[in-house]
Amino acid sequence: MKKSLLTLLLVVAVGACLAQTAPAPSGQAAPAAPGAAPQQKVIKDPAEYNAYVTAVNQTTPQAKAQAFEAFLQQYPNTIMKDESLEALMGAYQQMGDLQKVADAANRLLQVNPNNVRALFVLAYLHRTQAESGQNPQQNAAQAREFGQRGIQALQSWTKPEQMPEQEYQQQKQQMAIIFNGAVGFGALQQKDYATAAKFLQAAIAAGPASPINAGNIYPLAIAYLEQQPVNPQGLWYVAKAAALTNNNPAVVKYGRAKYIKYHGGDDGWDQLLAQAKTAASMEPPAGWTVAPAPTPAEQAAKLVASKPVAQMSFDDFQLILTSGNQQAAAQVWDQIKDKPIAFEAKVIEASKTKLALAATYDDIQANK
């Protein structure tokens, strides 16, 4: 996720808010604040009203921030406190002062603990800071906390009176992605893979083709692939993450290793990368799957059916006789019982009374 995302969402959200909540002077009604129950907001003091309107009408972020800070200092109990603090968030963000954006958001939550825009800002900022290595564990935990609070607050966030329905639905979708992604990311840092997968998948589901979700794909892949047992859906998402990062070597290496471990070989891996790259959606196509590696019993049956016993290696014998496939084991044992067998091996230890050999490929490599 990039800083430009915060710019887009926050400026649009706060701008819409200010356009819809400029209060009327005494005796005239104004729309309700977003996220609150419908009510009349009226500034009864003409001087306070003029000061608020003056702040709203400032044309530069610096002037707007100064005007709203002065307004809040002069009128600390104003009925427009929510709107003023939201305007401060927007102004400070336009100035590039993210610390003051966070400070304004925290001040806003002291007034309204369920303000979705403040929760959005803090969930986003704490996750971004964790991803950049700034107190990663603490910031990830805070991102998770604000994300959880945001999910709850979003459920009761009502459409501001003058906001178009399409814009309202778009903002709800964007916030759902950010909140769920923050919870999932925080859980992932705590190695709570099941919870991480649940919320990161919810973020993807909220906007399957949304570019906002680009930062959730690789964490979701990890959350699935680090579970025991592995969830193969993670193989799609790690391939998608590779496509989104222009085949980042670390992402590709991790994905290929997990693919081989699950599938039993790298056949099909390049095709998966190509498919994920051309897919329009973040999510896997309907019916998509990767075949798991055959079980030892299945491998034994295939080996017996395809290879004469006389051509089998010591590795083959060990696999078949320990596979649990009694039929395959009996078939091979009947042909080698009481017969001398020639095989290549590595001498590990030799004495007058004992000869220790490594006979399988793995044991030879391990010198065991």
Side-chain angles (χ1 to χ4, degrees):
M1 293 185 290
K2 303 290 187 182
K3 194 176 294 184
S4 58
L5 172 60
L6 180 61
T7 304
L8 173 63
L9 296 184
L10 186 55
V11 169
V12 169
V14 174
C17 173
L18 291 177
Q20 295 151 15
T21 57
S26 179
Q28 298 181 35
Q39 60 179 355
Q40 299 295 323
K41 282 203 170 186
V42 176
I43 294 181
K44 298 180 179 180
D45 181 354
E48 179 183 344
Y49 172 80
N50 289 333
Y52 181 82
V53 172
T54 297
V56 170
N57 290 333
Q58 295 300 314
T59 57
T60 68
Q62 291 82 359
K64 192 180 290 290
Q66 291 175 2
F68 272 110
E69 289 286 16
F71 174 77
L72 287 167
Q73 185 174 4
Q74 186 173 2
Y75 302 101
N77 298 317
T78 178
I79 195 172
M80 302 304 293
K81 197 164 188 176
D82 282 36
E83 292 76 10
S84 298
L85 288 168
E86 287 190 355
L88 270 180
M89 287 194 302
Y92 285 135
Q93 195 287 319
Q94 288 179 296
M95 292 166 60
D97 193 334
L98 297 185
Q99 183 56 56
K100 287 190 176 181
V101 173
D103 290 343
N106 279 305
R107 289 160 63 186
L108 180 50
L109 290 181
Q110 292 175 9
V111 178
N112 179 4
N114 294 319
N115 186 283
V116 291
R117 293 186 177 108
L119 292 168
F120 155 74
V121 166
L122 291 172
Y124 176 87
L125 287 179
H126 281 295
R127 175 176 177 176
T128 301
Q129 289 168 347
E131 290 177 324
S132 65
Q134 303 177 48
N135 298 320
Q137 293 301 319
Q138 178 182 348
N139 275 310
Q142 289 182 297
R144 182 175 184 175
E145 175 192 347
F146 286 118
Q148 288 171 326
R149 290 173 60 182
I151 291 170
Q152 293 298 317
L154 195 58
Q155 294 176 3
S156 58
W157 184 48
T158 56
K159 185 178 78 67
E161 185 175 321
Q162 297 180 25
M163 180 181 286
E165 179 65 26
Q166 182 178 358
E167 182 180 338
Y168 170 67
Q169 293 300 333
Q170 182 181 24
Q171 286 197 28
K172 282 189 67 176
Q173 180 195 60
Q174 293 167 340
M175 289 181 179
I177 293 172
I178 296 299
F179 289 142
N180 281 284
V183 175
F185 175 81
L188 184 62
Q189 306 317 301
Q190 297 169 341
K191 300 187 185 304
D192 183 356
Y193 298 121
T195 300
K198 174 184 175 182
F199 284 93
L200 289 165
Q201 187 67 73
I204 302 299
S210 173
I212 301 175
N213 260 318
N216 291 324
I217 299 298
Y218 191 46
L220 178 58
I222 295 173
Y224 276 140
L225 296 176
E226 294 301 324
Q227 291 184 34
Q228 295 298 330
V230 165
N231 186 326
Q233 290 291 298
L235 297 172
W236 168 266
Y237 289 112
V238 79
K240 193 67 181 178
L244 292 172
T245 59
N246 196 27
N247 286 333
N248 179 288
V251 174
V252 174
K253 181 179 179 180
Y254 173 78
R256 183 174 182 274
K258 289 294 184 179
Y259 183 92
I260 292 173
K261 187 172 183 179
Y262 178 81
H263 180 61
D266 67 354
D267 56 295
W269 170 244
D270 290 340
Q271 289 80 356
L272 174 57
L273 288 176
Q275 182 184 13
K277 185 175 183 178
T278 57
S281 175
M282 302 288 186
E283 295 187 289
W288 177 87
T289 187
V290 172
T295 65
E298 291 171 336
Q299 293 180 56
K302 182 177 181 180
L303 192 56
V304 168
S306 62
K307 194 173 186 179
V309 173
Q311 297 177 12
M312 290 183 181
S313 67
F314 197 88
D315 293 71
D316 297 334
F317 292 142
Q318 177 172 278
L319 170 63
I320 293 168
L321 297 176
T322 62
S323 68
N325 186 329
Q326 297 301 323
Q327 181 179 356
Q331 183 176 340
V332 170
W333 183 246
D334 287 343
Q335 295 187 52
I336 66 174
K337 183 176 62 175
D338 298 328
K339 296 178 181 178
I341 301 174
F343 58 90
E344 294 183 0
K346 180 179 182 180
V347 177
I348 303 300
E349 181 183 347
S351 69
K352 291 182 178 180
T353 58
K354 182 179 180 181
L355 181 64
L357 304 174
T360 68
Y361 175 83
D362 289 340
D363 286 345
I364 291 173
Q365 297 303 309
N367 203 44
K368 181 174 69 173

